[in-house]
Amino acid sequence: MTTLPDHINTNMLTKAVDQTINSRYSVRAFLKDREVSRSVIEDILQVACRAPSGTNTQPWKVYIVSGKSRERIVERVCQAQLDINNGKIDASQYQESFKYYPEQWVSPYIDRRRQNGWALYGVLNIQRGEKEKMAAQQLRNFKFFDAPVGLFFTVDRVMGIGAKMDIAMMMQNVMLASKARGLDTCPQAAWNHFHQIVLQELNAPTTETLVCGMALGYADPDAVVNQLQTPRESIVTFSQFLD
């Protein structure tokens, strides 16, 4: 069998990896009826667990929900969010498992956050002040944007902040391995507010903390929301080379 020169193999690998990274984005509309096989998910997780972790602690745990288990979580969390929206319960009843965002926003982060929000509402034709439409879009988070599979990532409470760095790298591997197989994802911190419900439905031990949820499936190519491609800052803004 003829083998390609090393420099050609390297170039092909580089292009494939770069293409996978550059083509990944947060999908917010999936083909609900197009299933993802268990074997494909297992392959993705087997690759993803090669992520680095401090002293090889591998602190991640992943719960995969589909079918009835997915439906139960979607129903309970959507109802909780609706009860909050309708004033039936106080939002303080559901506190996030850890502080993902700062208590006090400053530039440039608040500017990028606002730009992202209005870009999303722009493609969805949601205008300022249309609270009902905004609430409906928020609720789609808790329907996994119609993705047939949901993933929940947890770590043991005994672990330090480094474990969240470790599991974040593992999650990135999940997203890239999925993309390489023609699947798409959307990481979702929104689930953290309802971690009590989620962990209960997962029958997870009380020693675990929910870090993030993730939608997994095949992107709906006709959904206008999937036209949104968030920009990235130039490396000039975040890098500094020292001689």
Side-chain angles (χ1 to χ4, degrees):
M1 182 177 68
T2 303
T3 58
L4 295 173
D6 287 344
H7 74 278
I8 295 181
N9 283 331
T10 300
N11 288 339
M12 291 174 63
L13 179 60
T14 300
K15 289 180 180 179
V17 172
D18 288 356
Q19 172 62 21
T20 303
I21 294 172
N22 286 322
S23 62
R24 186 216 65 81
Y25 68 102
S26 293
V27 166
R28 292 182 174 86
F30 292 84
L31 297 173
K32 187 174 184 179
D33 297 327
R34 187 172 179 186
E35 299 296 329
V36 181
S37 71
R38 176 168 176 164
S39 62
V40 169
I41 298 173
E42 289 175 344
D43 286 345
I44 290 169
L45 294 176
Q46 190 63 58
V47 172
C49 74
R50 293 302 306 173
S53 60
T55 62
N56 199 34
T57 50
Q58 304 175 64
W60 43 74
K61 190 166 183 180
V62 188
Y63 294 86
I64 302 94
V65 297
S66 60
K68 292 182 179 179
S69 63
R70 175 193 175 282
E71 291 175 8
R72 285 196 302 270
I73 292 176
V74 167
E75 182 178 358
R76 286 193 62 188
V77 174
C78 281
Q79 187 59 57
Q81 184 62 63
L82 284 171
D83 287 343
I84 292 172
N85 294 347
N86 295 330
K88 292 183 178 180
I89 60 175
D90 195 283
S92 62
Q93 182 174 329
Y94 295 104
Q95 297 289 334
E96 57 190 341
S97 50
F98 63 94
K99 292 294 183 183
Y100 188 96
Y101 294 112
E103 293 184 6
Q104 182 66 44
W105 284 93
V106 297
S107 292
Y109 315 111
I110 185 61
D111 306 313
R112 295 170 186 162
R113 176 181 171 88
R114 286 170 176 163
Q115 180 190 45
N116 183 71
W118 289 117
L120 174 61
Y121 289 151
V123 297
L124 292 171
N125 196 29
I126 298 175
Q127 308 301 317
R128 291 179 184 269
E130 293 185 317
K131 295 183 178 180
E132 289 186 6
K133 289 184 178 180
M134 292 179 182
Q137 178 60 30
Q138 180 192 32
L139 206 63
R140 284 189 52 73
N141 276 284
F142 307 120
K143 298 177 182 179
F144 293 106
F145 300 110
D146 291 334
V149 177
L151 308 177
F152 291 104
F153 299 82
T154 70
V155 295
D156 196 306
R157 291 179 183 275
V158 74
M159 301 300 286
I161 189 66
K164 290 186 175 65
M165 296 169 60
D166 297 337
I167 198 171
M169 289 185 279
M170 191 268 194
M171 289 171 56
Q172 175 76 345
N173 277 0
V174 169
M175 290 185 280
L176 296 181
S178 298
K179 190 66 181 179
R181 289 163 173 77
L183 290 154
D184 281 286
T185 54
C186 185
Q188 300 173 275
W191 290 98
N192 290 9
H193 284 279
F194 299 101
H195 62 97
Q196 303 105 310
I197 295 175
V198 172
L199 294 175
Q200 184 184 67
E201 286 293 333
L202 297 176
N203 198 29
T206 56
T207 54
E208 291 182 19
T209 298
L210 179 65
V211 176
C212 196
M214 184 182 294
L216 172 67
Y218 294 93
D220 182 348
D222 299 322
V224 65
V225 70
N226 286 337
Q227 296 175 6
L228 178 64
Q229 299 287 326
T230 54
R232 291 295 183 271
E233 296 292 326
S234 164
I235 65 168
V236 174
T237 65
F238 64 79
S239 58
Q240 184 174 357
F241 292 85
L242 304 177
D243 294 327

